[in-house]
Amino acid sequence: MNIRTLSSLAAAIALSVLCSPAIYAQDADSVAFSSIDWQWQDRGKGAQAGSAQVRLFDSVQSIPVVRYPARRFHTSFVHAPGESASSTDTLAMRADARFAMNGSFFNMRTLEPATFFSQRHQAISGTDEWERSRSDGLLAIPKKNGRKMEILYYDPSALDTYTKDYYTTLASGPVIMKDGEVGNFDPEGSFAKTRHPRSFIGLTDDGRTVYIIVVDGRFHGEAAGASISELYLIAKWFGMEDAINFDGGGSSALWTDRTGIINHPCDNSRFDHAGARKVPNILIVK
């Protein structure tokens, strides 16, 4: 086989990967998504909360969503490790938040963060070795007012820069979408490919609108969960340009001050709004 043939074969393989059903769902999914009635509720200052149970990706999906204009709200994190850890709703109420979602990965035995976290320009935790393969991104908040966010690829050699240049940062991942393109995750890797409850945050192309979303999972016939490639499609269909995955599974929790937990945490094995897991950090919106 000559070099030209090898090049053609490589190009064909690359094209088949990019065009695989894992990334580009059937037209029926796109049409179904565009017709979803999210039952949006006005939450003031341009914010909305909604949810839907719909058939997507050959499965039943339950997806609650909060979206809000970044410039009209303050976005930050609550840090409550170890004995201070509690459920997302409890930490959110203590912080007098409007909306909240669970944060990044953590050690379930010690309830300490397992990824890089800085707050008030001070480094608080690093990324554990076993988390580096999936925690390839960073949610960065430049200023104390929390009215702007960036989603970056995580560079372990740039921790001093992150701490200096951003008021708050939290590493997580994988990056689902960057500049409108699919993130660098391996769609066939076990963590990305397997459907789980998922939590993620995304930004529109101008950074003006923020989405915090949970895709419920581990409830047969009611909520299948999603792969990372399926999160990419959801982000794309909502019109996001950047998005990053946060901790999922039993940690996934989306909360509002009016309705409490609006997704279905899976730790109690019941399709209800109870049973949220203790976590050491959460994202809050005021």
Side-chain angles (χ1 to χ4, degrees):
M1 187 176 293
N2 60 36
I3 294 176
R4 180 173 296 180
T5 302
L6 284 171
S7 298
S8 299
L9 179 60
I13 292 171
L15 182 61
S16 69
V17 170
L18 287 174
C19 297
S20 68
I23 299 298
Y24 294 105
Q26 297 177 355
D27 290 343
D29 281 328
S30 178
V31 171
F33 191 89
S34 68
S35 62
I36 292 174
D37 178 8
W38 293 99
Q39 300 181 9
W40 295 113
Q41 297 180 2
D42 182 10
R43 300 307 308 274
K45 298 195 297 184
Q48 294 177 306
S51 63
Q53 190 176 45
V54 64
R55 187 163 187 83
L56 286 174
F57 316 126
D58 293 322
S59 60
V60 177
Q61 299 289 344
S62 173
I63 309 173
V65 182
V66 170
R67 62 184 181 187
Y68 61 95
R71 64 183 178 83
R72 303 189 71 181
F73 290 85
H74 173 88
T75 303
S76 61
F77 291 98
V78 169
H79 177 57
E83 293 183 357
S84 300
S86 193
S87 58
T88 295
D89 52 336
T90 298
L91 294 177
M93 287 187 284
R94 288 177 184 170
D96 195 27
R98 294 277 301 278
F99 316 116
M101 189 175 72
N102 64 285
S104 190
F105 306 107
F106 63 97
N107 185 312
M108 291 193 59
R109 181 179 60 83
T110 64
L111 297 177
E112 295 284 343
T115 64
F116 176 73
F117 179 54
S118 69
Q119 197 169 45
R120 302 182 181 91
H121 299 290
Q122 297 292 322
I124 293 172
S125 64
T127 297
D128 293 344
E129 185 68 32
W130 51 274
E131 278 297 351
R132 291 183 180 177
S133 61
R134 63 178 174 180
S135 298
D136 68 345
L138 193 78
L139 180 67
I141 301 174
K143 297 182 180 180
K144 184 178 180 179
N145 65 17
R147 301 193 186 282
K148 182 180 179 181
M149 279 164 281
E150 299 175 29
I151 293 172
L152 313 171
Y153 279 110
Y154 177 71
D155 180 356
S157 68
L159 303 188
D160 289 343
T161 300
Y162 297 146
T163 303
K164 178 182 177 181
D165 292 352
Y166 295 95
Y167 184 76
T168 299
T169 62
L170 181 66
S172 194
V175 172
I176 300 165
M177 171 187 286
K178 182 63 180 167
D179 299 326
E181 301 296 328
V182 180
N184 290 335
F185 62 89
D186 175 9
E188 295 302 313
S190 176
F191 178 76
K193 185 176 182 179
T194 305
R195 283 179 172 166
H196 293 292
R198 305 281 189 178
S199 304
F200 74 101
I201 182 169
L203 312 173
T204 58
D205 58 351
D206 53 13
R208 293 181 180 179
T209 302
V210 182
Y211 286 82
I212 51 177
I213 299 177
V214 163
V215 180
D216 285 321
R218 300 180 184 165
F219 294 105
H220 180 71
E222 294 175 299
S227 68
I228 299 297
S229 296
E230 289 163 349
L231 293 190
Y232 165 77
L233 289 168
I234 292 170
K236 177 184 177 182
W237 292 333
F238 267 126
M240 301 177 209
E241 286 288 312
D242 299 309
I244 185 170
N245 181 64
F246 274 14
D247 192 12
S251 299
S252 286
L254 185 59
W255 175 92
T256 80
D257 59 348
R258 292 185 188 174
T259 55
I261 297 285
I262 62 175
N263 72 300
H264 302 82
C266 68
D267 256 16
N268 64 354
S269 300
R270 296 194 301 269
F271 193 65
D272 59 21
H273 304 292
R277 175 186 293 176
K278 285 186 177 182
V279 294
N281 53 52
I282 65 169
L283 179 144
I284 62 169
V285 184
K286 292 187 173 183

